[in-house]
Amino acid sequence: QSVRLGRSDLEVSVAGLGCGGHSRLGMATGHNETHAVKVVEHALGLGINFIDTARAYGTEPAVGKAIKGRRETVVISTKVSPGRGDAHLSADQLVDSLEKSLTRLGTDYVDVLHLHGVSAAQYPYCVEVLVPEMQRLRDAGKIRFLG
């Protein structure tokens, strides 16, 4: 089964694969990246086409290896943190973070880029500085949708 993802035009499997959490595709519980790649490949084999990851999870390289050769059939969501406390991520740092994620994922675009863990205090900064940069990245074809 598939559904439309939010207000996007993306059709995703009802079940997606989250690559964070306590397991991090098994890598947080003693397994290596090869195992993580197999987890993602198995999910894809079962018909799951929505993969959610983040730099902070350490799973982007495994996802990149697993989707190699089938990028067009997978919807990839990744994230960037807007910073912690009073330290804000700059627009340039956001671009750099996305470029590094694209390299780890082995792709030239992500379907959804989320601002991860935005606090109420960070929200105005995100709206004023980071969202416009994300929109520029979307217009440049690096991001399909903002999250």
Side-chain angles (χ1 to χ4, degrees):
Q1 294 179 357
S2 64
V3 295
R4 188 176 81 161
L5 183 63
R7 292 181 295 198
S8 74
D9 64 356
L10 300 171
E11 284 290 319
V12 297
S13 51
V14 172
L17 179 64
C19 300
H22 297 292
S23 170
R24 302 218 187 322
L25 298 175
M27 293 193 301
T29 58
H31 293 284
N32 61 21
E33 186 177 89
T34 301
H35 172 83
V37 170
K38 289 178 184 176
V39 170
V40 177
E41 289 173 338
H42 185 70
L44 295 172
L46 292 172
I48 292 172
N49 77 330
F50 181 61
I51 309 292
D52 178 67
T53 187
R55 179 206 57 79
Y57 301 163
T59 55
E60 287 178 335
V63 170
K65 289 176 183 171
I67 66 167
K68 189 173 183 172
R70 49 179 146 183
R71 173 64 183 99
E72 299 305 316
T73 65
V74 181
V75 175
I76 297 182
S77 164
T78 196
K79 304 171 199 74
V80 62
S81 172
R84 295 199 173 161
D86 293 334
H88 294 296
L89 184 75
S90 72
D92 288 342
Q93 289 171 317
L94 180 133
V95 172
D96 183 61
S97 181
L98 175 62
E99 290 296 337
K100 288 177 179 171
S101 287
L102 294 175
T103 298
R104 286 187 294 269
L105 291 164
T107 186
D108 56 356
Y109 71 97
V110 293
D111 297 291
V112 184
L113 180 67
H114 298 270
L115 290 175
H116 197 200
V118 176
S119 70
Q122 293 168 321
Y123 187 82
Y125 177 80
C126 291
V127 169
E128 293 168 18
V129 177
L130 299 182
V131 170
E133 188 62 35
M134 291 170 75
Q135 290 169 326
R136 283 189 282 280
L137 290 164
R138 181 197 58 210
D139 294 345
K142 301 279 185 173
I143 303 169
R144 291 182 64 199
F145 296 95
L146 283 60

